[in-house]
C-alpha cells in the first residue's frame, strides 16, 4: 500500500517534535559555539553564504570527530532551534518576495514543468544506477535519489520497505553537496553581474517596537499553520505564507534585521552538518562514493537545464540556476538573497518542484520498483 504524502509529513512533524533523550546543554552550547566560529571564519574568508556554510562545515567536523574518537553519535540540534531557523529564513524570503513573480512563473508554467520533469527523470536514472552499482535495494535507491523534499522521502522510507538510515544519509549527502557547491558556483559565476545584496549578518537595520512584535507573531502563526496543513518544510513554508499575507497588509515595508538572517542560516547549516554520522558513513561507504559521483553529474545536468530555461524564457541565468538546483531550498533562498537576485521567482520554481515531487514521488517509486523487479520477486531486493 502506498502512503499518502500527508501521512508522511505528519510523521516528519512528529519526529521533529520529539525530545531527544540524550539532550545535553553542554553539547548544545559547544555546537553553537563551533557554529558561530565557523560562520565568523567563513565570513572573514569571504566565503559566500558564510553563516550557512561555516556552521555546516563545523557541524560535520564535530559529528565525525565525536563519532570516530568517542564512538558515540553526535546529538542533533533541538527541534525548536531547527524549526526556528527555518522560520527565520521564511521571514527573510517573504520580506524580499514580489507578488508579480508568481504571475511571471505562471506565464512560463509549461517550460517550467518540462524542465522539472527532465531533472526528475535524471534523478530517477541516478536511483537506478545506485541500485545497480551500490548494492542497495530498489526502494532505498530510488527514494535516496529523488531530489527535493528530502524530509518527505525519509519519512516515507520505512513505510515503503526502504532502509531509512541509507535514505537519510544519501538524501542529506545531496543536500550537503548542493548547499556547499552551488552557492560558491553561483557566487563565482554571477557576482560580477549582480552585486551582493545589502542584507548580510554583519550589517544593522533599525527595528521599531511594532515590527519587533510582528516578527515572532508571524513565526509562531507560520509554524502552527505549517503543522496544521502538514506542509513540507513546515517552519519555512508556513512562516512564508503567513508573512506574505501580513507584510502585504502592513503599513510600511518590513526590514528583517540581518542578525536574524544570520541566526536562521546558522541553525539550518548546523542542523544539516550534524546529520552526518560516522557509523552510517562507514557502513554505506560504497553507496556514498557512488552517490557523490552521481550527484556531481546531476548538478551539472541541472545547470544545463537551467541554461536552456534561461534561453527560452529570458529569466536571468542566476535565477534559473538556483531555481533548478536539485534540493537545498533554504540554502538557495539564502544564496539568491545574498547575491541580490529574484527571490520570489526562485521560491516559485523550487516550491513547484517540491510539491510536484511530494505528490507523485511515492506512486512513481512504487511503480518503478515493480517495473524493475524480476518475475516472481517481491520487488524489495
Amino acid at each position: 500500500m502506498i502512503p499518502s504524502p500527508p501521512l508522511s509529513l505528519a510523521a516528519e512533524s512528529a519526529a521533529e517534535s520529539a525530545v531527544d533523550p540524550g539532550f545535553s546543554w553542554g553539547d548544545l552550547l559547544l555546537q553553537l559555539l563551533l557554529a558561530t566560529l565557523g560562520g565568523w571564519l567563513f565570513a572573514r574568508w569571504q566565503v559566500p553564504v558564510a553563516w550557512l556554510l561555516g556552521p555546516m562545515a563545523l557541524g560535520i567536523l564535530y559529528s565525525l570527530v565525536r563519532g570516530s574518537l568517542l564512538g558515540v553519535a553526535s546529538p542533533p540540534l533541538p527541534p525548536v532551534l531547527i524549526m526556528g531557523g527555518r522560520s527565520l529564513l521564511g521571514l527573510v524570503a517573504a520580506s524580499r518576495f514580489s507578488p508579480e513573480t508568481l504571475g511571471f512563473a505562471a506565464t512560463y508554467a509549461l517550460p517550467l514543468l518540462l524542465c522539472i520533469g527532465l531533472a526528475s527523470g535524471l534523478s530517477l536514472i541516478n536511483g537506478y544506477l545506485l541500485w545497480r552499482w551500490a548494492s542497495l535495494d530498489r526502494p532505498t535507491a530510488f527514494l535516496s535519489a529523488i531530489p527535493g523534499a528530502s524530509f518527505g522521502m525519509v519519512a516515507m522510507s520505512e513505510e515503503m520497505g526502504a532502509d531509512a538510515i541509507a535514505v537519510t544519509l544519501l538524501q542529506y549527502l545531496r543536500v550537503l553537496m548542493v548547499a556547499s557547491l552551488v552557492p560558491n558556483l553561483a557566487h563565482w559565476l554571477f557576482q560580477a553581474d549582480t552585486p551582493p545584496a545589502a542584507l548580510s549578518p554583519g550589517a544593522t537595520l533599525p527595528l521599531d517596537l511594532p515590527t519587533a512584535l510582528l516578527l515572532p507573531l508571524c513565526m509562531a502563526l507560520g509554524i502552527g499553520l505549517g503543522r496544521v496543513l502538514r506542509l513540507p518544510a513546515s517552519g519555512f513554508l508556513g512562516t512564508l505564507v503567513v508573512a506574505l499575507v501580513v507584510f502585504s497588509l502592513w503599513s510600511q515595508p518590513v526590514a528583517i534585521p540581518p542578525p536574524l538572517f544570520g541566526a536562521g542560516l546558522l541553525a539550518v547549516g548546523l542542523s544539516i552538518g550534524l546529520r552526518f554520522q560516522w557509523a552510517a558513513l562507514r557502513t554505506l561507504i560504497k553507496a556514498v562514493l557512488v552517490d557523490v559521483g552521481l550527484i556531481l553529474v546531476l548538478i551539472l545536468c541541472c545547470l544545463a537545464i537551467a541554461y536552456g530555461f534561461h534561453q527560452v524564457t529570458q529569466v536571468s541565468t542566476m535565477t534559473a540556476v538556483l531555481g533548478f538546483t536539485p534540493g537545498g531550498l533554504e540554502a538557495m533562498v539564502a544564496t539568491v538573497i545574498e547575491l541580490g537576485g529574484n527571490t520570489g521567482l526562485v521560491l516559485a520554481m523550487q516550491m513547484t518542484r517540491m510539491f510536484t515531487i511530494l505528490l507523485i514521488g511515492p506512486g512513481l517509486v512504487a511503480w518503478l520498483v515493480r517495473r524493475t523487479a524480476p518475475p516472481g520477486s517481491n520487488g524489495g531486493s
Side-chain angles (χ1 to χ4, degrees), residues 41-253:
L41 287 174
F42 276 45
R44 270 185 77 85
W45 297 335
Q46 298 184 335
V47 175
V49 203
W51 287 91
L52 178 80
L53 300 183
M56 184 190 304
L58 269 290
I60 294 170
L61 181 63
Y62 172 82
S63 181
L64 295 182
V65 168
R66 185 181 172 102
S68 59
L69 295 183
L70 303 180
V72 293
S74 172
L77 277 186
V80 65
L81 291 184
I82 301 174
M83 189 67 71
R86 293 173 178 173
S87 183
L88 283 171
L89 293 187
L91 280 180
V92 177
S95 70
R96 304 295 295 268
F97 192 88
S98 172
E100 290 80 9
T101 57
L102 285 179
F104 187 79
T107 302
Y108 296 105
L110 182 58
L112 176 60
L113 291 175
L114 286 175
C115 289
I116 289 173
L118 182 57
S120 300
L122 292 170
S123 300
L124 292 175
I125 293 174
N126 276 10
Y128 177 81
L129 295 177
L130 269 176
W131 166 52
R132 301 295 289 182
W133 294 349
S135 303
L136 296 176
D137 60 79
R138 280 178 289 273
T140 300
F142 284 118
L143 285 174
S144 298
I146 293 180
S150 53
F151 37 79
M153 298 304 107
V154 170
M156 296 172 192
S157 57
E158 288 187 347
E159 295 180 62
M160 298 190 69
D163 181 344
I165 294 177
V167 172
T168 300
L169 177 66
L170 297 178
Q171 277 284 347
Y172 286 111
L173 174 63
R174 175 182 48 79
V175 172
L176 173 65
M177 290 182 64
V178 167
S180 302
L181 296 176
V182 174
N184 286 283
L185 181 63
H187 190 268
W188 175 66
L189 289 174
F190 306 119
Q191 64 174 335
D193 300 324
T194 309
L199 189 63
S200 66
T204 57
L205 287 174
L207 183 65
D208 54 30
L209 181 60
T211 305
L213 297 175
L214 177 71
L215 299 184
L217 178 62
C218 287
M219 291 175 65
L221 291 175
I223 292 172
L225 178 68
R227 289 189 179 278
V228 169
L229 298 181
R230 298 174 178 176
L231 295 174
S234 55
F236 177 84
L237 292 182
T239 303
L240 174 67
V241 171
V242 170
L244 283 174
V245 174
V246 173
F247 291 176
S248 67
L249 300 175
W250 201 244
S251 57
Q252 56 187 5

Side-chain angles (χ1 to χ4, degrees), residues 24-39:
S24 163
W25 284 106
D27 286 330
L28 176 60
L29 180 60
L30 179 58
Q31 290 169 354
L32 293 177
L33 287 175
L34 287 173
T36 304
L37 175 63

Side-chain angles (χ1 to χ4, degrees), residues 265-329:
L265 293 177
L266 185 148
V268 170
L270 181 59
S271 69
I272 294 173
L274 292 176
R275 287 190 181 107
F276 283 84
Q277 304 296 346
W278 182 251
L281 187 63
R282 252 186 334 209
T283 57
L284 293 166
I285 189 65
K286 180 180 179 181
V288 167
L289 292 176
V290 170
D291 201 33
V292 166
L294 293 175
I295 291 169
L296 289 175
V297 172
L298 178 63
I299 290 174
L300 292 176
C301 290
C302 286
L303 290 177
I305 292 171
Y307 183 74
F309 184 80
H310 155 71
Q311 290 292 320
V312 171
T313 64
Q314 299 307 306
V315 168
S316 73
T317 313
M318 181 182 72
T319 297
V321 165
L322 296 178
F324 283 112
T325 297
L329 172 64

